[in-house]
Amino acid sequence: VMYRLFLNVAAFLLAGVLGAVLSARLRRSEQMLQREQHDHAELELLNSAILRSIPSGLIVVDNNGQIHSFNSAAAQICGVDSRWAIDRNIKQIFSAFDIDRLNLPVEREEFIFLNKKGEERIIGYNARYIATEDRARILLTFQDLTESKKLEDSLQLRERLAAVGALAAGLAHEIRNPLTSLSGSVQLLAEHGDFSCTDRQLLDIVHRETSRLNRLVSDFLVFAKPRQPECKDCDLGALFRELVALMSSDPEYAQVTIDCSNCRSCIVCADVEQIRQAAWNLLVNAAIFALEPKQVQIGMDCQRHCFWIDDNGPGVAENIKKRIFEPFYTTRASGTGLGLSIVHAIVSAHGGTIECLDSPLGGARMQVCLPVTEE
């Protein structure tokens, strides 16, 4: 009896000790599990925050192109909802993107994306395989490079303009002096010489052509060596009303209807003479390219310090919009290709921008935006 009692008591004690040890281990395991769950939740929150704040679009697809992950930056770039994009094929978003032709890994490639507004955007992307628990998938990271491409094109254009300007300055000085002498000599001959009617017509042709060359050389000098702007208060509305009155009195532009109803008072900080020259060049260009019945419309946005000139002409094709500000590039047989180059040089000297857009009138819109100063 004592032996059995001793065995039972020993068994009870051993079971109690073992239960206490197991209970302590269970509590430690629960605490570790709670810490791991907390850490996992924090990692999930951090991962979600990173995916939301990263400026690049991130898309995870399988080999069939089905989307499994779509972050908020991708939704903003593509103009679609993230929840709508999940489980859809990437072709439904990027129609120009062919996942079957990817030669992974892709470090840097580009394609054209047509967004919901019908605008063409340039998308640059990287692609590589990533390993997941069930299968390998493809990670696409991409950015909208449209504005960067515009800035790059603008910088390249400025470099070309600077190089051509330096060449034009030297040539203009060398040509202008003999032209002045030639024009003066022809005028003296016409005034004091005894010439027949035919000879006088020839002298008039020489004088007219030398004057035209002199104006061309003057344009060269303005383009090649534009003076630094002397900025002060400039009323764009008053300036355009003055230019419209001047153009309306010119018989060459008598058939052009100019709408200046939006030319209200708008004060900007700019060089009045240079802005007047730039605005006049744009008005003349719009009047020349307008179609019958010729219509030109002037608009402005005082808050953004912008003004624009619309015409009802044929417009500017997308493939030449990047070239119209290059010197000597023109689509007119009688054009010199310096008018818009001079405007670009003046606007750039002010620290502004000029763009060629589509006009509501059906033609082209030349939009100039000057920098907004704190004053």
Coordinates of all heavy atoms in Angstrom, one line a residue, residues 7 11 13 26 65 87 99 143 168 199 206-207 228-229 266 293 310:
L7 N 4.1 5.8 -5.3 CA 4.1 5.9 -6.8 C 3.1 6.9 -7.2 O 3.4 7.7 -8.1 CB 3.9 4.5 -7.4 CG 5.0 3.5 -7.4 CD1 4.6 2.2 -8.0 CD2 6.2 4.0 -8.1
A11 N 3.9 10.3 -9.1 CA 3.4 10.6 -10.4 C 2.7 11.9 -10.4 O 2.8 12.7 -11.4 CB 2.4 9.4 -10.8
L13 N 3.2 14.5 -8.5 CA 4.2 15.6 -8.4 C 4.9 15.8 -9.8 O 5.1 16.9 -10.2 CB 5.3 15.2 -7.3 CG 4.8 15.3 -5.9 CD1 5.9 14.9 -4.9 CD2 4.4 16.8 -5.6
L26 N 4.3 27.2 -23.0 CA 3.1 27.7 -23.8 C 3.0 29.2 -23.7 O 2.7 29.8 -24.7 CB 1.9 26.9 -23.3 CG 0.6 27.3 -24.0 CD1 0.7 27.0 -25.5 CD2 -0.6 26.6 -23.3
G65 N -0.1 37.4 -68.2 CA -0.4 38.8 -68.2 C -1.5 39.2 -67.2 O -1.9 40.3 -67.2
D87 N -6.7 41.1 -61.2 CA -7.2 39.9 -61.9 C -7.6 40.2 -63.4 O -8.1 39.3 -64.1 CB -8.4 39.3 -61.2 CG -8.1 38.8 -59.9 OD1 -6.9 38.3 -59.7 OD2 -9.0 38.7 -59.0
I99 N 3.4 41.3 -73.3 CA 4.2 40.6 -72.4 C 4.9 39.4 -72.9 O 5.9 38.9 -72.4 CB 3.3 40.3 -71.1 CG1 4.2 39.9 -69.9 CG2 2.4 39.1 -71.4 CD1 3.5 39.8 -68.6
Q143 N 7.3 54.6 -65.1 CA 7.1 56.0 -64.8 C 6.5 56.7 -66.1 O 6.8 56.2 -67.2 CB 8.4 56.7 -64.4 CG 9.0 56.1 -63.2 CD 10.0 55.0 -63.5 OE1 10.5 54.9 -64.6 NE2 10.2 54.0 -62.6
A168 N 25.1 82.8 -86.6 CA 24.4 83.9 -87.3 C 24.9 85.2 -86.9 O 24.9 86.2 -87.7 CB 22.9 83.7 -86.9
D199 N 15.4 101.1 -116.5 CA 16.5 101.1 -115.5 C 16.0 101.4 -114.1 O 16.5 100.9 -113.1 CB 17.6 102.1 -116.0 CG 18.2 101.6 -117.3 OD1 18.2 100.4 -117.5 OD2 18.8 102.4 -118.0
V206 N 16.4 96.3 -107.0 CA 17.6 96.2 -106.2 C 17.5 96.8 -104.8 O 17.8 96.2 -103.8 CB 18.8 96.9 -106.9 CG1 20.1 96.8 -106.0 CG2 19.1 96.1 -108.2
H207 N 16.8 98.0 -104.8 CA 16.6 98.6 -103.4 C 15.7 97.8 -102.6 O 15.9 97.6 -101.4 CB 16.1 100.0 -103.7 CG 15.9 100.8 -102.4 ND1 14.6 100.9 -101.8 CD2 16.7 101.4 -101.5 CE1 14.7 101.6 -100.7 NE2 16.0 101.9 -100.5
Q228 N 19.5 91.3 -72.8 CA 18.9 90.8 -71.5 C 17.6 91.6 -71.3 O 17.6 92.9 -71.5 CB 19.8 91.0 -70.4 CG 21.0 90.0 -70.3 CD 20.5 88.6 -70.2 OE1 19.6 88.3 -69.4 NE2 21.0 87.7 -71.0
P229 N 16.5 91.0 -70.9 CA 15.3 91.7 -70.7 C 15.4 92.7 -69.5 O 16.0 92.4 -68.5 CB 14.3 90.6 -70.3 CG 14.9 89.3 -70.7 CD 16.4 89.5 -70.7
C266 N -4.0 92.8 -67.6 CA -3.2 91.7 -67.0 C -1.7 92.2 -66.8 O -1.0 92.3 -67.8 CB -3.3 90.5 -67.8 SG -2.4 89.1 -67.2
P293 N -12.9 82.0 -93.8 CA -12.7 83.3 -93.4 C -11.7 83.4 -92.3 O -11.8 82.6 -91.3 CB -14.1 83.8 -92.9 CG -14.7 82.5 -92.5 CD -14.2 81.4 -93.4
D310 N -4.9 81.9 -81.0 CA -5.5 80.8 -81.8 C -5.7 81.2 -83.2 O -6.0 82.4 -83.4 CB -6.8 80.3 -81.1 CG -6.6 79.7 -79.8 OD1 -5.6 79.1 -79.5 OD2 -7.5 79.9 -78.9

